[in-house]
């Protein structure tokens, strides 16, 4: 229970997106791992901290390596962790390894495809792997299961745009604006 509480506290601290709060979050994830070395989600949290450092360019190759290592350890601890797989896919995408993204998406089992997290991982893998047309029906299914999923609607618009489904992209954009308000990036894609 203590390990999980440290993990939750670290996750909440990461929401602020400052380097100082990332350091605090990392310390909480480390404490969680000390308490329970098998808590895969704490490894996912560590991976996310290092991924942020790499993405915002204050971590370099060391941050990239640490993110990859933590996501892989998390998947070894829990092969069904959609958060670990999604983090790994995002990291692979940042590295330009679209084929590896598709392999990670292929690891999602058919029996998991009524789970929003698993659907998101598979859809994200298709999207970052350059197969937007295959991502579209998955994002649509996510939105059937979770109408308020802003991220799925956002990536549906991008996928529709990339797969040249213009009218559907416009319609999805209008839905986005109604549900979540204006967004300049969404406007650009619509």
């Amino acid at each position: 229970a203590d390990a999980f509480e440290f993990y939750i506290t670290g996750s909440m601290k990461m929401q602020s997106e400052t380097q100082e709060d990332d350091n605090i979050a990392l310390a909480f994830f480390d404490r969680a791992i000390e308490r329970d070395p098998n808590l895969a989600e704490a490894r996912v949290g560590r991976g996310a901290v290092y991924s942020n450092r790499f993405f915002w360019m204050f971590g370099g190759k060391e941050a990239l390596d640490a993110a990859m290592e933590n996501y892989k350890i998390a998947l070894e601890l829990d092969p069904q962790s959609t958060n670990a797989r999604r983090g790994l896919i995002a990291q692979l995408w940042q590295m330009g390894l679209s084929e590896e993204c598709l392999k990670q998406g292929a690891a999602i089992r058919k029996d998991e495809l009524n789970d929003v997290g698993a659907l998101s991982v598979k859809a994200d893998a298709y999207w970052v792997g350059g197969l937007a047309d295959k991502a579209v029906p998955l994002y649509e299914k996510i939105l059937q299961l979770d109408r308020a999923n802003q991220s799925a609607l956002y990536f549906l618009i991008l996928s529709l745009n990339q797969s040249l489904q213009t009218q559907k992209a416009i319609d999805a954009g209008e839905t986005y604006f109604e549900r979540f308000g204006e967004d300049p990036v969404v406007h650009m894609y619509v």
Side-chain angles (χ1 to χ4, degrees):
D2 288 344
F4 191 73
E5 189 172 319
F6 289 140
Y7 158 70
I8 294 295
T9 304
S11 297
M12 290 171 50
K13 209 54 167 154
M14 272 192 64
Q15 301 304 317
S16 70
E17 298 180 5
T18 67
Q19 190 171 359
E20 180 181 335
D21 283 337
D22 272 358
N23 290 337
I24 294 169
L26 188 61
F28 276 107
F29 295 137
D30 287 343
R31 289 177 73 187
I33 292 166
E34 285 173 17
R35 293 280 184 163
D36 182 358
N38 295 317
L39 183 60
E41 294 305 308
R43 286 291 183 170
V44 173
R46 288 187 98 245
V49 168
Y50 287 115
S51 184
N52 283 346
R53 289 179 179 182
F54 177 74
F55 184 77
W56 295 111
M57 295 181 215
F58 59 86
K61 181 160 176 15
E62 297 80 25
L64 173 65
D65 292 343
M68 293 294 288
E69 177 186 358
N70 279 282
Y71 289 135
K72 287 177 179 179
I73 291 171
L75 281 171
E76 287 171 11
L77 293 170
D78 180 4
Q80 303 310 314
S81 171
T82 55
N83 289 330
R85 197 160 307 279
R86 177 182 272 160
L88 183 59
I89 287 170
Q91 201 64 51
L92 291 166
W93 177 64
Q94 288 181 39
M95 297 166 63
L97 300 172
S98 57
E99 286 296 318
E100 287 298 315
C101 293
L102 293 171
K103 286 180 188 174
Q104 290 301 317
I108 300 298
R109 299 183 329 249
K110 288 194 183 298
D111 65 331
E112 295 178 289
L113 292 181
N114 280 323
D115 173 84
V116 170
L119 279 166
S120 296
V121 168
K122 193 161 191 79
D124 291 352
Y126 281 139
W127 184 76
V128 301
L131 299 174
D133 56 322
K134 290 189 174 193
V136 167
L138 296 175
Y139 287 126
E140 289 173 337
K141 184 167 183 182
I142 293 166
L143 290 165
Q144 288 172 356
L145 297 171
D146 179 7
R147 189 172 183 275
N149 191 316
Q150 185 174 2
S151 176
L153 186 53
Y154 175 85
F155 283 103
L156 173 62
I157 293 164
L158 272 61
S159 297
L160 288 166
N161 183 286
Q162 289 175 349
S163 60
L164 304 176
Q165 298 181 51
T166 310
Q167 189 57 54
K168 286 180 81 174
I170 291 168
D171 295 343
E174 292 303 320
T175 300
Y176 186 96
F177 301 139
E178 289 170 12
R179 290 184 190 169
F180 305 111
E182 297 296 314
D183 182 302
V185 176
V186 173
H187 268 289
M188 179 180 72
Y189 281 99
V190 170

